[in-house]
Amino acid sequence: MMRFATALVAACALLGLVANGASAAFGIKAFDGEVTVEGGGPAEQAGSHLFEASTTIEFNETTSNGLPVPDGSLKDVETQLPAGLVGSPKATPRCSLSAFQEGSNPLELGNCPDSSAVGTSILQTPLGPFTAPVYNLVPAAGQPARFGFHILSASIFLNASVRTGEDYGLTIGIPNASQGLSVLGTTLHLWGVPANPIHDAERGKCMTLAGPSGAQCPSDADELPFLTNPTSCTGPVLTKLAVNSWQEPSRFSHASFLSHRPGGEPVGASGCADLPFEPSLEVAVRPGTAASPSALDVKVHLPQHEGLNELATAHLRRAVVRLPQGVTVNAAAANGLASCSAAQIGVKSANRASCPDAAKIGTTEVVSPVLDDPLRGSVYLAKQAENPFGSLLAVYLVAEADGVLLKLPGKIDTDPATGQVTATFDENPQLPFSDLELSFFGGDGAALSAPSACGTYSATGTFTPWSGTAPVSDADSFTIARGPNGGPCPNGGFAPKLSAGTTKPTAGSYSPLALSLSREDGTQALTGLDLKLPRGLLAKLAGIPYCPDATLATLPSAAGSGAGQLASPSCPAASRVGAVAVAAGTGPAPVFVDTGRAYLAGPYKGAPLSLALVVPAIAGPFDLGNVLVRAALEVDPETAQVEAVSDPIPTILAGIPLNLRQIRVSVDRDGFTVNPTSCDPSSVSGTAAGAGGGTAPVSDRFQVGSCASLRLAPRLALSVKGASRRGGFPRLRAVLTAKPGQANLRRVSVALPHSEFLAQSHIRTVCTRVQFAAKACPAGSIYGFAKAVSPLLDEPLRGPVYLRSSSHKLPDLVAALHGQIDIDLVGRIDSVKGGLRDTFEAIPDAPVTRFELAMKGGRKSLLENSRDLCAAGSGRATVEIDGQNGKTADQRPILAAGCGKKG
């Protein structure tokens, strides 16, 4: 009763002093603290278990009724302990809130067990110091730890939190201190090992307002470390303080101090080289099949040394895990995948992350010896470029338990040549953990792909401690023993499939052309294609500009540039002739990217034309830039058959293997691709190349129909000019005309009337085949000129007519036509029934509305008159015309001699 009466008088006096309080110049007069070993010396050994940690705060004061009083009423206190100074609330039993507040006497509240005491608090008041035991309390939801003590009628709570988004150090906060307390200063003593018998006289109920009662209050708990020094030896560390008053709650006063020796000399922890650090790595893939989307488990184990006489394990500062070569990012993961933005993760914020579920690519679990429950959470894909590293790939590890929230960014690097994945988590929190596990999801949309071949694969981890000692490396292996879908191991085979054809297979009609090249998982990646189209499958080039070479040369390719290309293509829209789409990634659900465009481009690698396939590689949250693949369009000069030879097809972009499963090209420009007028069976065929050096023939049957509905009605006009007398050497002119929409010509044979025979004496200079192939025919081998007009071209094809060596008795007559493409029209010269004949056996299946042949006269004439053309007449030619559709249009045109009506 005497103790109660004394306390009641003191409380009333304090309340009176507060009521008479002064000038609202509230602030911090002094702030200091220390960590000590038993005996009172400074605790300088890194990772050592402390004997005691204490802080002392003095507030500004004035006088009232002759007594010192504070300049305001203390409201909130926040003390930020140095990062790495760790407390374990599991070191003692916890007192429930109900037990802490139990009792009818407001001045002597509390019924916490003595074993839950973790220190003492001394409150400096105008009437002198008041002392109270500090208990380890059961924390509220969302708190890692809570402590409390009673001073007179006031209950003071010390809430512990981890500075999420900052340095992950501990902060002790006192919210809403009682306005009835007149506080001049306070000293908090926390014991490093609360169950140590040395504290029996100060523990729990043995502590009175005036100090220890003289009794002994032993603890029945195990002696476990409660406070541990940082494991970093980077120099003096800073403790920060912020306080405010009830009078001005929005104004905080701040103070801090550096760790120091008793004389004030700044000092940090030392002896880091003595700290244990023994991390190990475990890696596993599921289901363990090659060339398949795979789940991946990565576990880092770091044994914790927690004995009283042991130094703590150094905290992990940096972890670098290099996955085995062959484990790569799976492009198919982009299906339905999202990413987490900087605003959603809030790495520098204490708020919970709000990343979308679609950005989740795995789970995580962290086991810490100072927490009751493992921290559990998710691994999120970070938004490209908008992450702490500005990188293409990054992840966020988000985990939470017992009021501790981790939000750790990790950079993901991929080897640009092999795709090998390296994950780096740097500047990790200075908090102890024994196990950290990351589990990346498997299934069709798994973020990772297993190696493409069976075998044993090793991952390596390099771990750097905060102690500053040398990094420690470890490795672990797993085995791939089955192929995709549990089948046999891949054998490096290469068997792509081609599907090709026009969507409207009607002879002579315009129709889009669709091509698809595909491959299965476990086979060599596609790297190239050499494809021959059927004869007569051509394109209308008239009116289409080329995408300039200069534009293609400067096409941006860096990651992130695809969106700009998609929004504003570099090539002119008028040069677009089709669309390109690809399916990429391993597994049964590759991602489909249909952003590509095909443009007509100019000469390339010796070919007269080319296609520029521009694909902005955008899928899900990824923008890998722009892919340009040019295909040289070679045109056979004798058949006009088109062969497309692609540049190498990329197999990896920005370190992400594409694993192309299908390439689709749709040449869909209206009125561009025209079908043959021959209904003979044909094929689209060629050779595909694989990444392992393999090649494979590819082919698909091609045939059009409705050839019989096409007309064949060309007209041929023949005339000679110049010398009309017998023995004269005239000029010859032939003009063939045809209306659009008819069948194209296959064969034309013209036998001149007996009025003309071959002037063999004029056959002097003949171009050899070697010279012709080298485009080096002598000028003397030119005997005429030709011109062909086609609705497919802007300009006619023109060129000289040569006599070229032949395997026949007489030289061939070859019209070398040049223009947007080059065509060599080859005619065989021979004699039939004593007359001169020229036969074009293999005319390209191409529409020609007008063909003109002008042969020279005089000394370069190949004709000699057998009679006077104006007197005896020139006669009629015998013309055989075969169409590509199988129809014929034979004619007997007059060889006009230009002799007036008589002629």
Side-chain angles (χ1 to χ4, degrees), residues 289-293 450-454 482-485 488-495 519-525 585-587 659-661:
T289 56
S292 305
S452 60
C454 293
R482 293 173 295 163
N485 303 313
C489 290
N491 59 8
F494 186 56
R519 55 170 281 273
E520 297 296 327
D521 275 332
T523 61
Q524 294 182 35
T586 57
N659 283 316
L660 294 178
R661 304 284 297 287

Side-chain angles (χ1 to χ4, degrees), residues 37 450 512 584 785:
V37 298
F785 295 92

Side-chain angles (χ1 to χ4, degrees), residues 276-339:
F277 186 69
E278 305 142 336
S280 62
L281 177 71
E282 296 178 21
V283 178
V285 296
R286 295 175 279 114
T289 56
S292 305
S294 297
L296 176 75
D297 300 325
V298 179
K299 184 176 181 180
V300 177
H301 178 62
L302 185 58
Q304 296 296 310
H305 295 258
E306 302 175 78
L308 288 179
N309 298 317
E310 292 182 302
L311 295 178
T313 299
H315 299 145
L316 175 66
R317 180 170 191 168
R318 188 171 193 259
V320 180
V321 176
R322 187 181 300 275
L323 300 183
Q325 187 165 322
V327 175
T328 59
V329 175
N330 182 15
N335 276 322
L337 186 64
S339 61

Side-chain angles (χ1 to χ4, degrees), residues 498 500-501 532-537 641-642 676 678-685 699-704 845:
L498 175 70
K532 284 189 176 181
L533 301 183
R535 293 187 183 187
L537 184 59
Q641 186 175 18
V642 177
S678 168
C679 289
D680 293 340
S682 182
S683 67
V684 180
S685 61
S699 181
D700 194 19
R701 186 179 185 277
F702 181 90
Q703 190 173 18
V704 297
D845 189 356

Side-chain angles (χ1 to χ4, degrees), residues 84 122 124 234 364 443 449 611 747 762 815 839 884:
I122 302 173
Q124 299 294 338
T234 55
T364 184
S449 291
L611 278 182
R747 174 182 177 275
H762 287 183
T839 302
Q884 295 282 349

Side-chain angles (χ1 to χ4, degrees), residues 364-368 371 373-377 398-402 404-406:
T364 184
E365 180 175 294
V366 183
V367 177
S368 173
L371 298 177
D373 301 309
L375 291 96
R376 293 187 175 93
V398 179
E400 186 174 11
D402 298 341
V404 177
L405 174 63
L406 295 180

